[in-house]
Amino acid sequence: HPPHRHRRSQLLFAEIGTMLVRTDEGTWLVPAQQGIWIPAGIAHSITMLSQVATRSVYLNNEAADGMAPLCQVVGVAPLMRQLLIEAVDLPSEYDPAGRAGKIMSLLIDEIHAAPVLPLGLPVPNDARLAKRCQLFLSRPTAQDTVDLWSRDLGLSRRTFTRLFRLETGLTFSAWQRRACLMWALPHLL
């Protein structure tokens, strides 16, 4: 799917199959039976890596209050899965005190409580580092090294490793492994 955005926040559940969700901030791998939280207004594109069946629920700003401001992959427990299945068929305008309101209220509680899964690949904000990461993502390789990237960016090894961890929350090698995995998946399926 081409990049698009929603005015409401979205929880996208991969009932069957695996997806890659991309934004300017990173890439997330969403395996079957897991979900991805996509806050309102964030431009994103979705690549289906296999036959995929999804369910989505959209939350207005009030319902999404206090939830993560960035995309994240979340674990979907059996209760949350059943609530998502029920919520898809609810009317967009419903009585908050009725059955639909109770389902949505519990679903929102479950989304808040859902564990965040480490399936994202953050893109740094630092312009030089982001450009180097985008270049790497066009053709990831396990052969790249910290020394190579440090030289390319004109940074000392120590400055590079500190900056990389600060910008991505990951070590270079952890980020590189995730990038290679996310790049390989669509080519393996």
Side-chain angles (χ1 to χ4, degrees):
H1 297 125
H4 63 284
R5 65 183 79 226
H6 307 284
R7 61 181 177 79
R8 296 180 295 164
S9 295
Q10 176 185 21
L11 180 73
L12 177 61
F13 172 59
E15 193 166 21
I16 298 168
T18 302
M19 305 177 282
L20 273 182
V21 176
R22 291 185 176 90
T23 72
D24 288 342
E25 289 78 38
T27 301
W28 290 265
L29 177 69
V30 187
Q33 294 296 304
Q34 307 306 322
I36 183 163
W37 172 252
I38 305 169
I42 293 193
H44 59 282
S45 63
I46 301 170
T47 304
M48 307 304 184
L49 300 182
S50 60
Q51 188 84 13
V52 175
T54 64
R55 294 185 186 268
S56 280
V57 65
Y58 295 91
L59 304 179
N60 64 24
N61 289 343
E62 184 183 328
D65 190 39
M67 294 192 190
L70 298 171
C71 292
Q72 54 188 26
V73 177
V74 295
V76 176
L79 174 59
M80 187 171 166
R81 180 180 178 281
Q82 287 308 122
L83 290 167
L84 284 164
I85 290 168
E86 286 293 321
V88 168
D89 295 328
L90 297 176
S92 56
E93 298 295 321
Y94 56 83
D95 175 9
R99 179 178 182 272
K102 291 174 183 164
I103 289 171
M104 288 306 296
S105 178
L106 185 53
L107 178 56
I108 290 165
D109 287 348
E110 288 297 300
I111 294 170
H112 272 283
V116 176
L117 304 177
L119 297 172
L121 186 70
V123 175
N125 288 320
D126 179 88
R128 294 176 308 156
L129 200 50
K131 186 175 178 181
R132 184 63 180 90
C133 287
Q134 294 296 350
L135 177 66
F136 180 81
L137 290 171
S138 68
R139 191 119 203 61
T141 172
Q143 310 312 312
D144 277 17
T145 64
V146 168
D147 292 327
L148 173 68
W149 281 45
S150 298
R151 252 192 331 273
D152 285 355
L153 296 170
L155 301 171
S156 71
R157 179 185 175 95
R158 186 173 175 192
T159 300
F160 171 78
T161 55
R162 251 197 334 250
L163 178 64
F164 199 89
R165 190 175 206 41
L166 179 70
E167 289 281 323
T168 65
L170 298 169
T171 64
F172 174 75
S173 61
W175 187 92
Q176 181 184 34
R177 281 193 302 275
R178 279 195 203 176
C180 287
L181 175 65
M182 288 182 178
W183 185 85
L185 275 173
H187 298 89
L188 294 173
L189 301 172

